[in-house]
C-alpha cells in the first residue's frame, strides 16, 4: 500500500518502477501497443466490460478469490485501455487489500478527488505501463510526432502530451 508520506515526485517514481517491473514480468515479447487486459489476466485478474453508468470509467473489486476489473463499455478504446491500466495500478498498490475478506472497490470517474496519493500512483502507473519511458524517448529522439507516438502506444494524443510533460521530453 502507498506510503502516504511520499512526495508527489517520489510517488510518481514508485509508480514508474512498479510499472516497469510489471511490464518486464508480464509483457514478455508483446511489443507495442501494450495490452493491459492481457497483462491483468496474466496476473490472475479477470477483466470485464459492462455498462457502469455515466460517471464511471472502471473499477476493481477484490475478494478472497482474487480481483476483477470492470471497464465501462461506452468509453473510447484508448480511454478503456488507460482505465484498465489504471485499475491494474490499484491492484499492484493494494494487492493485500484486494485479497482480504473485505475486498476493495475503486471507481475511476470524472468527479471526486483525483489528487489523492492512490490516484496519482494509479495514473502514473497506467501512463508508464502503456507508454514506457525508454520507448517514448526513442520515438521522440528519432523525430516521431505526437500523433505517431499516440498511434504506436494505442493511447490518446492528450495522454502523449501529459506523459511528455511529466517526463520533461
Amino acid at each position: 500500500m502507498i506510503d502516504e508520506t511520499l512526495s508527489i515526485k517520489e510517488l510518481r517514481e514508485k509508480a514508474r518502477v512498479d510499472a516497469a517491473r510489471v511490464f518486464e514480468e508480464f509483457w514478455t515479447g508483446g511489443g507495442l501497443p501494450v495490452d493491459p487486459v492481457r497483462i491483468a489476466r496474466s496476473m490472475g485478474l479477470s477483466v470485464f466490460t459492462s455498462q457502469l453508468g455515466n460517471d464511471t470509467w472502471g473499477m476493481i473489486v477484490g475478494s478472497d478469490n482474487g480481483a476483477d476489473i470492470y471497464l465501462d463499455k461506452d468509453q473510447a478504446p484508448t480511454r478503456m485501455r488507460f482505465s484498465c491500466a489504471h485499475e491494474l495500478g490499484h491492484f499492484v498498490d493494494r494487492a493485500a487489500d484486494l485479497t482480504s475478506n473485505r475486498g476493495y472497490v475503486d471507481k475511476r470517474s470524472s468527479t471526486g478527488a483525483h489528487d489523492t496519493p492512490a490516484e496519482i500512483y494509479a495514473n502514473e502507473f497506467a501512463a508508464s505501463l502503456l507508454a514506457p519511458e525508454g520507448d517514448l524517448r526513442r520515438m521522440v529522439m528519432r523525430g516521431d510526432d505526437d500523433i505517431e507516438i499516440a498511434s504506436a502506444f494505442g493511447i490518446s494524443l492528450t495522454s502523449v502530451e501529459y506523459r511528455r510533460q511529466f517526463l520533461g521530453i
Side-chain angles (χ1 to χ4, degrees), residues 101-113:
N101 286 331
R102 65 175 191 227
Y104 174 76
V105 175
D106 172 65
K107 289 187 175 185
R108 171 98 167 78
S109 67
S110 59
T111 63

Side-chain angles (χ1 to χ4, degrees), residues 68-90:
D68 299 326
I69 292 175
Y70 295 89
L71 304 170
D72 186 66
K73 68 179 187 173
D74 295 329
Q75 41 186 335
T78 55
R79 174 78 246 174
M80 191 177 296
R81 289 168 38 73
F82 188 87
S83 295
C84 184
H86 175 96
E87 300 307 331
L88 189 55
H90 283 303

Side-chain angles (χ1 to χ4, degrees), residues 14-140:
K14 179 177 177 1
R16 287 182 194 127
V17 168
D18 290 348
R21 179 183 50 78
V22 167
F23 181 91
E24 288 298 318
E25 188 173 343
F26 294 98
W27 189 244
T28 55
L32 294 176
V34 172
D35 183 348
V37 172
R38 193 166 119 200
I39 290 174
R41 289 179 175 153
S42 294
M43 294 177 74
L45 285 78
S46 296
V47 181
F48 305 98
T49 56
S50 183
Q51 182 69 50
L52 299 180
N54 293 336
D55 192 39
T56 303
W57 293 329
M59 69 174 91
I60 187 165
V61 179
S63 71
D64 283 339
N65 298 322
D68 299 326
I69 292 175
Y70 295 89
L71 304 170
D72 186 66
K73 68 179 187 173
D74 295 329
Q75 41 186 335
T78 55
R79 174 78 246 174
M80 191 177 296
R81 289 168 38 73
F82 188 87
S83 295
C84 184
H86 175 96
E87 300 307 331
L88 189 55
H90 283 303
F91 176 77
V92 169
D93 172 45
R94 304 183 71 88
D97 287 345
L98 287 166
T99 56
S100 70
N101 286 331
R102 65 175 191 227
Y104 174 76
V105 175
D106 172 65
K107 289 187 175 185
R108 171 98 167 78
S109 67
S110 59
T111 63
H114 294 295
D115 57 355
T116 65
E119 291 301 308
I120 292 168
Y121 174 92
N123 283 333
E124 188 67 28
F125 180 94
S128 298
L129 185 66
L130 296 176
E133 183 175 352
D135 291 320
L136 178 59
R137 287 188 184 280
R138 277 189 289 284
M139 290 175 175
V140 169

